[in-house]
Amino acid sequence: MVRLSTIALGLVYGLSNVLGVVADTATLTDPAIDGAVNVGFPTVNITAVLAEAENELGVNGTVTDNLPADYGAPGTTISARDLEKLQELRKRTFGNTVFGAIACLSLKILFPSKTAAVGSSNYAQWNNPSFWSSTTYMTPMCVFRPVSADDISCAMRIIALSQTDFNVVGGGHSAIKGWANAEDGVLIILSGLTGVKIKSGYAEVSTGERWGNVFTALDQNKLMALGGRMSTVGVPGLVLGGGISYLSNNWGFVADQVKNFEVVLANGWVVNANAGANADLFRALKGGSSNFGIVTRVDLYTWPCTKGVYSGQLYFADTRDYPKMFDAVYNYHTVGALQDTQTHLISAFVYVGALGMHMGAFTAFRNVSVPDGGPALKEVLEINPAVTNSSTLQVRPYGTQAIELGSGDMNGLRQDMRDFSVYADKELYKELFQIWNTTMIPKHGSKTGFMGTIAFQPITIKAVAAGVARGGNSLGLEGNTKTMGIINLTHQWADPSHDAAILASLDEIMTASIARAKARNAYHPYFYLNYARKQDNPIGSYGTASVNRLKIVSKYYDPCGIFQDRVPGGFKIPGL
Ligand SMILES: Cc1cc2nc3c(=O)[nH]c(=O)nc-3n(C[C@H](O)[C@H](O)[C@H](O)COP(=O)(O)OP(=O)(O)OC[C@H]3O[C@@H](n4cnc5c(N)ncnc54)[C@H](O)[C@@H]3O)c2cc1C
Ligand SMILES: *[C@@H]1O[C@H](CO)[C@@H](O)[C@H](O)[C@H]1NC(C)=O
Ligand SMILES: *[C@@H]1O[C@H](CO)[C@@H](O)[C@H](O)[C@H]1NC(C)=O
Ligand SMILES: *[C@@H]1O[C@H](CO)[C@@H](O)[C@H](O)[C@H]1NC(C)=O
Ligand SMILES: *[C@@H]1O[C@H](CO)[C@@H](O)[C@H](O)[C@H]1NC(C)=O
Ligand SMILES: *[C@@H]1O[C@H](CO)[C@@H](O)[C@H](O)[C@H]1NC(C)=O
Ligand SMILES: *[C@@H]1O[C@H](CO)[C@@H](O)[C@H](O)[C@H]1NC(C)=O
């Protein structure tokens, strides 16, 4: 319970300030949206719900006294000016707790079975255990689990009016604390927002889905689409950060092959963004992450896959193969990936602490229905014929490769992901491996639950061009003139008391690696968002032209900066 005297004082101060603010913001307008706008609250009097919550909490009028007199009619829109007033109130009055309480109770009133407060069994079930990494555990004031865009539309209005902190979690595969969570605020967890609908030439995927279900539905219909390479990963985070797929060499990032996004904006409107409607928002969402709204559906282009693909996992347990593996990886990046764009190679160099051994974990993929890697994968498949022989390579339904890789994924460990980019360079790849091997393994390799990976992923000119062909994305890679390599470090361990030491070594590796890349004139300033470290500002790395576009789109669709200011974590647009 909040002290009433504090609230009363805050209100007086807040209100007097609001009076001064109106004139300044009179020009702030709501976006003119292309196409139909839906709202999920046509018959709900949101003011009445907020008032009921306030009364129950003994904080009468905190939010509702500051709403305009004509606000509250079912279906009315909230104007940017109204929100601006409330934001001023928030700044001048109290911290998040009272606003979080008003929002949570309002959600509970409207959606009793979809809202769970701290301490309830649904809260315990929906919250932490569903997240991939235990580094992300927090205590939101309540967890809201919608099942439709309408639910989110309604909730978004309550959240925006009550000015609480909030966040949204999709598949929960981010490892950064607070990136998909909100301490003391509202956490919208999308796991109930499910459904994969096959349409002609595309699939409508609700954003509570993970890739496994998407691929199963595609396989059943003998189709393929770009998506994550492991079944357990969430759809929304991956797509909004770009998304690397088995089909990326030909078709670019997963986001590039999105036909339409359905999005709930800060004011509760449910809108579509595609090449024809809200095209600026459409482009922004392809890499712009959680900065513009809550994406409720992603429509992915599909292609026929009548007879399956040739794909499988190769494990190299003999480090004498490593020199050949590096040659094959480099040649694949610079030749194979361009020569046959229907192929893909995951080249992960792993240290498995439990076994005390180094291991290459490669996934070779080719979109053909015969057991043949073709010229592009020949060198990889010839590194060690015994390895290829005992691999899981086979002609199979497209989606089963991601399910095979996902089957080993485990929730609840300590996890860290980070990446940086270089131009493909064979000597550098070897050096980066050794920087990692000599800095990380002797110090930490035997820690409980330790597993470390350094992976090398090509982004070819063709992949970048595929994005341009679909109208462009936000990633800012159009200027690339040669193959770039994303270097991706993933580490897991069991004991939180080892966090500091392992993270310090990882920081050391990043610094040394980037210095080495710069010394070889092979450094590329891009940080791929989906693996990026908290401080690496991936959106800033898209370059000024992209950042400027993102700023304009944010100001237009979210004029009060709800997604910039009220969402405590996530990669933001720098300079907003
Ligand atoms: C095991 C594993 C395998 C991976 N494989 C690949 C791969 O093959 N290719 C690849 O490119 N990446 C891959 N990644 C990286 C992956 O893309 C990111 O971890 C991504 O964030 C996962 O999305 P999510 O929905 O599970 O994440 P979440 O943690 O739920 O969300 C990530 C971010 O997106 C925001 N967000 C979530 N849902 C929405 C929404 N509906 N609207 C707006 N914002 C939203 C969150 O607030 C958060 O900031 C992998 C990661 C792991 C751990
Ligand atoms: C809050 O409002 C309710 C109903 O309007 C009223 O019964 C109650 O006394 C009010 N409480 C305070 C603290 O003003
Ligand atoms: C909505 O509720 C508020 C507060 O209870 C009330 O003042 C207002 O008249 C209601 N609006 C409509 C259209 O019913
Ligand atoms: C995969 O190959 C099949 C058969 O050649 C082709 O029809 C399909 O378009 C390809 N898929 C993609 C996504 O390129
Ligand atoms: C591969 O497997 C076949 C039989 O399945 C076997 O005859 C051959 O010797 C194997 N080759 C290697 C290099 O292990
Ligand atoms: C890793 O580094 C150690 C020295 O610390 C070296 O002996 C070993 O050969 C390296 N491993 C590989 C696979 O190169
Ligand atoms: C990054 O590493 C993770 C874990 O090893 C792996 O699943 C993912 O595919 C890698 N990404 C790239 C781009 O290689």
Side-chain angles (χ1 to χ4, degrees):
M1 185 62 68
V2 187
R3 274 182 300 122
L4 280 174
S5 56
T6 318
I7 291 165
L9 270 175
L11 272 178
V12 169
Y13 187 50
L15 277 173
S16 62
N17 191 292
V18 160
L19 296 177
V21 163
V22 177
D24 296 341
T25 58
T27 53
L28 209 51
T29 53
D30 287 310
I33 298 293
D34 299 338
V37 171
N38 297 321
V39 286
F41 40 91
T43 58
V44 179
N45 184 337
I46 303 256
T47 313
V49 175
L50 288 164
E52 189 182 334
E54 288 172 342
N55 290 350
E56 218 170 291
L57 292 166
V59 294
N60 291 14
T62 303
V63 168
T64 50
D65 278 358
N66 296 286
L67 293 175
D70 61 350
Y71 182 78
T76 48
T77 60
I78 182 167
S79 77
R81 270 183 56 189
D82 299 337
L83 275 182
E84 185 98 348
K85 287 190 215 169
L86 286 162
Q87 276 179 328
E88 284 305 317
L89 170 72
R90 185 187 208 275
K91 279 186 210 147
R92 302 284 175 258
T93 53
F94 11 76
N96 189 52
T97 331
V98 67
F99 297 108
I102 294 168
C104 283
L105 192 51
S106 299
L107 289 170
K108 187 83 193 167
I109 290 165
L110 267 180
F111 303 105
S113 65
K114 296 170 189 164
T115 310
V118 187
S120 65
S121 65
N122 276 344
Y123 182 97
Q125 192 191 325
W126 296 343
N127 198 31
N128 295 341
S130 65
F131 305 151
W132 178 60
S133 175
S134 65
T135 55
T136 64
Y137 294 173
M138 286 183 137
T139 44
M141 190 174 280
C142 63
V143 173
F144 175 58
R145 189 170 177 276
V147 302
S148 67
D150 280 357
D151 288 353
I152 296 176
S153 164
C154 219
M156 198 58 234
R157 180 65 67 98
I158 286 168
I159 284 165
L161 287 175
S162 65
Q163 289 291 302
T164 181
D165 285 354
F166 73 102
N167 211 338
V168 54
V169 60
H173 269 63
S174 167
I176 305 174
K177 194 182 183 84
W179 251 224
N181 212 330
E183 190 71 24
D184 286 335
V186 178
L187 178 62
I188 302 175
I189 177 158
L190 297 178
S191 56
L193 191 70
T194 53
V196 181
K197 285 199 194 119
I198 305 295
K199 302 279 175 167
S200 172
Y202 65 100
E204 295 179 348
V205 179
S206 293
T207 49
E209 292 290 359
R210 297 177 188 227
W211 292 105
N213 265 352
V214 178
F215 291 143
T216 300
L218 290 170
D219 280 351
Q220 281 163 358
N221 291 276
K222 299 206 180 301
L223 293 169
M224 66 202 313
L226 275 76
R229 294 165 303 179
M230 283 173 76
S231 54
T232 43
V233 178
V235 169
L238 183 135
V239 174
L240 294 170
I244 295 165
S245 155
Y246 294 115
L247 302 163
S248 285
N249 284 329
N250 200 59
W251 295 104
F253 289 85
V254 180
D256 292 324
Q257 301 307 328
V258 170
K259 187 175 188 282
N260 176 63
F261 293 99
E262 181 190 78
V263 196
V264 179
L265 300 178
N267 64 3
W269 292 354
V270 187
V271 307
N272 284 303
N274 51 56
N278 302 305
D280 48 356
L281 177 61
F282 179 52
R283 181 173 187 181
L285 288 167
K286 301 184 201 180
S289 197
S290 60
N291 284 292
F292 307 99
I294 299 178
V295 175
T296 48
R297 206 185 72 218
V298 177
D299 301 346
L300 298 167
Y301 285 111
T302 57
W303 289 263
C305 183
T306 43
K307 295 183 187 146
V309 300
Y310 183 57
S311 173
Q313 184 75 355
L314 293 84
Y315 293 105
F316 297 92
D318 186 342
T319 52
R320 284 174 302 185
D321 289 335
Y322 272 46
K324 279 190 189 169
M325 287 155 65
F326 280 107
D327 286 351
V329 167
Y330 172 77
N331 291 334
Y332 181 75
H333 285 196
T334 50
V335 181
L338 305 144
Q339 180 181 31
D340 183 353
T341 58
Q342 293 283 347
T343 61
H344 187 81
L345 176 68
I346 301 180
S347 49
F349 294 80
V350 187
Y351 185 83
V352 188
L355 304 175
M357 68 182 281
H358 281 282
M359 192 167 73
F362 285 20
T363 309
F365 172 97
R366 187 179 182 213
N367 177 24
V368 286
S369 55
V370 289
D372 179 4
L377 290 169
K378 189 168 185 288
E379 188 179 356
V380 170
L381 301 188
E382 282 177 354
I383 293 169
N384 182 336
V387 165
T388 303
N389 232 6
S390 60
S391 72
T392 64
L393 270 167
Q394 60 194 283
V395 176
R396 49 158 86 202
Y398 168 65
T400 62
Q401 179 62 62
I403 292 165
E404 180 187 333
L405 285 193
S407 65
D409 199 18
M410 221 174 113
N411 281 359
L413 287 162
R414 314 297 292 170
Q415 301 278 1
D416 179 86
M417 291 194 283
R418 55 185 65 209
D419 72 279
F420 58 96
S421 302
V422 301
Y423 287 107
D425 174 330
K426 191 178 351 187
E427 283 317 305
L428 181 64
Y429 283 6
K430 290 182 187 167
E431 287 180 29
L432 296 176
F433 172 83
Q434 289 306 345
I435 290 172
W436 169 77
N437 174 34
T438 54
T439 313
M440 180 57 62
I441 308 310
K443 257 195 198 154
H444 307 295
S446 61
K447 294 203 157 96
T448 316
F450 180 90
M451 186 149 91
T453 303
I454 180 167
F456 300 80
Q457 171 69 44
I459 305 294
T460 62
I461 300 299
K462 170 80 204 261
V464 173
V468 175
R470 290 287 197 196
N473 56 37
S474 296
L475 307 174
L477 297 173
E478 297 86 25
N480 281 6
T481 52
K482 48 187 174 170
T483 297
M484 178 184 111
I486 295 176
I487 315 299
N488 161 23
L489 300 161
T490 306
H491 288 75
Q492 66 185 43
W493 61 98
D495 186 343
S497 73
H498 294 145
D499 288 9
I502 292 176
L503 294 175
S505 293
L506 279 166
D507 287 347
E508 202 183 309
I509 291 167
M510 283 283 278
T511 307
S513 299
I514 289 173
R516 204 55 214 126
K518 284 182 174 162
R520 287 186 65 86
N521 270 322
Y523 183 64
H524 191 300
Y526 178 68
F527 288 102
Y528 178 49
L529 186 143
N530 281 339
Y531 305 123
R533 186 170 58 157
K534 185 174 180 172
Q535 64 268 42
D536 284 330
N537 186 16
I539 294 183
S541 84
Y542 297 172
T544 352
S546 178
V547 168
N548 286 342
R549 275 198 307 273
L550 295 175
K551 281 184 185 167
I552 290 166
V553 173
S554 165
K555 289 230 164 87
Y556 190 75
Y557 290 90
D558 179 15
C560 289
I562 301 286
F563 281 89
Q564 299 305 303
D565 300 339
R566 293 278 64 81
V567 176
F571 292 111
K572 304 294 185 201
I573 304 167
L576 255 191

